[in-house]
Amino acid sequence: MTHGKYLVLDANILIRIILGKKVYGLVEQYRQKVGFYAPAVCFEEAERYLPIIFKKRGISNMEAVTQATKPLWSCVRPIEEWMYQDFKEAALLRIAKRDPDDWHTVASIVTGK
C-alpha cells in the first residue's frame, strides 16, 4: 500500500510500541493512512534493549519478548542504511548537539522514506 504521508520512528518509539498501549494504538489507528518507517539500526537497538527492559520488569521469558515484537515488525518497515547514507552529513548538522547517534533517523527523514 502506498501512503501519502509517512513517519520515521526512532528506537525509543519502537520500544514504546511494544511496551505502551497508547503508542501501539496510534500506530494501529493510522497504519492505513500513514506509512511507518524506522532505520534498521533502530530495530537493532530496540531488540538490544527490550530484553533488558523486560528483565527489569520481571519478565524473563524470552519467548514473551519475541511475541511482543511481532506486531512491531508488521507495522513499521525498516529502512536500510544505504538508502540514506548520502544524507549523513546534513543529518548531523541538523541534529547538532541533541543526539548525534540519532543521525540515522534524521537522514531517513531527509530522504523522504
Side-chain angles (χ1 to χ4, degrees):
M1 172 180 291
T2 303
H3 300 96
K5 297 179 182 181
Y6 66 92
L7 286 174
V8 178
L9 311 174
D10 70 2
N12 294 319
I13 300 302
L14 297 179
I15 290 170
R16 293 307 318 151
I17 290 171
I18 300 302
L19 299 177
K21 294 177 184 174
K22 185 175 183 176
V23 177
Y24 180 75
L26 287 169
V27 170
E28 278 296 310
Q29 179 180 351
Y30 291 102
R31 71 189 292 181
Q32 298 302 318
K33 297 177 185 174
V34 177
F36 293 98
Y37 298 87
V41 296
C42 292
F43 283 91
E44 294 165 11
E45 185 177 344
E47 288 175 337
R48 190 170 56 249
Y49 285 107
L50 278 168
I52 297 166
I53 295 167
F54 274 61
K55 186 175 181 179
K56 285 182 181 179
R57 293 181 176 201
I59 302 169
S60 59
N61 181 351
M62 288 311 296
E63 181 62 28
V65 175
T66 303
Q67 290 302 318
T69 58
K70 280 188 179 181
L72 174 60
W73 313 146
S74 68
C75 11
V76 183
R77 294 181 206 119
I79 307 169
E80 298 301 327
E81 189 168 333
W82 66 266
M83 296 175 75
Y84 58 82
Q85 179 64 42
D86 291 345
F87 300 98
K88 180 177 182 177
E89 187 176 322
L92 285 168
L93 288 172
R94 190 170 181 188
I95 201 164
K97 297 176 184 176
R98 288 192 63 197
D99 190 352
D101 290 338
D102 282 343
W103 75 267
H104 300 274
T105 305
V106 176
S108 296
I109 294 168
V110 173
T111 66
K113 274 268 190 304

